[in-house]
């Protein structure tokens, strides 16, 4: 199985520059960090994350929320369509970054390219 490393993406947010790293990979799943805020009003911080590819072509982004919980965001055809939360999910694209919102105040930023590899 070939091994590869997803490229490091650097981008600016209103608060400060954040880095997304999805460097550790087994050729299918990637480990790293993404910018996130898990409480309404909090600034973005670096959260541990794993992007897991599913056999059906979809993906799951598992993000450590910092309180022992993990937020799973499920993707179909590169679009976030559900989470392990009952709260409303929405997203928008800002350049090369997908910004995912889970009400009332969770925010997750992911390079769109990470979903294409």
């Amino acid at each position: 199985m070939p091994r590869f490393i997803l490229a490091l993406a650097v981008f600016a947010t209103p608060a400060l520059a954040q880095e997304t790293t999805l460097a550790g990979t087994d050729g299918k799943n990637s480990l790293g960090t993404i910018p996130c805020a898990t409480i309404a009003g909090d600034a973005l911080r670096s959260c541990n994350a794993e992007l897991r590819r599913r056999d059906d072509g979809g993906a799951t982004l598992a993000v450590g929320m910092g309180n022992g919980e993990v937020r799973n965001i499920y993707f179909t055809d590169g679009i976030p369509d559900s989470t392990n939360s009952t709260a409303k999910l929405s997203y928008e694209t800002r350049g090369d970054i997908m910004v995912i919102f889970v009400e009332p105040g969770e925010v997750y930023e992911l390079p769109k390219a990470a979903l294409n590899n």
Side-chain angles (χ1 to χ4, degrees):
M1 175 180 294
R3 293 192 178 270
F4 61 92
I5 296 179
L6 296 176
L8 174 70
V10 179
F11 54 95
T13 65
L16 63 132
Q18 297 283 324
E19 280 187 359
T20 298
T21 63
L22 293 174
T25 183
D26 65 2
K28 184 175 180 181
N29 302 315
S30 301
L31 294 171
T33 61
I34 64 167
C36 81
T38 56
I39 299 174
D42 279 1
L44 291 176
R45 60 183 170 82
S46 186
C47 294
N48 292 324
E50 180 179 13
L51 185 61
R52 303 173 187 144
R53 307 263 178 219
R54 297 191 313 257
D55 290 337
D56 67 1
T60 300
L61 178 65
V63 183
M65 297 178 67
N67 60 0
E69 292 184 50
V70 174
R71 173 66 65 233
N72 290 317
I73 301 169
Y74 306 105
F75 293 81
T76 302
D77 297 325
I79 304 297
D81 56 11
S82 62
T83 75
N84 62 335
S85 169
T86 58
K88 181 181 175 189
L89 169 76
S90 61
Y91 76 97
E92 64 185 45
T93 300
R94 297 177 186 166
D96 295 334
I97 304 300
M98 180 178 293
V99 184
I100 303 161
F101 305 95
V102 180
E103 290 187 3
E106 297 175 31
V107 180
Y108 305 93
E109 295 187 352
L110 182 68
K112 291 187 312 184
L115 295 166
N116 298 328
N117 291 321

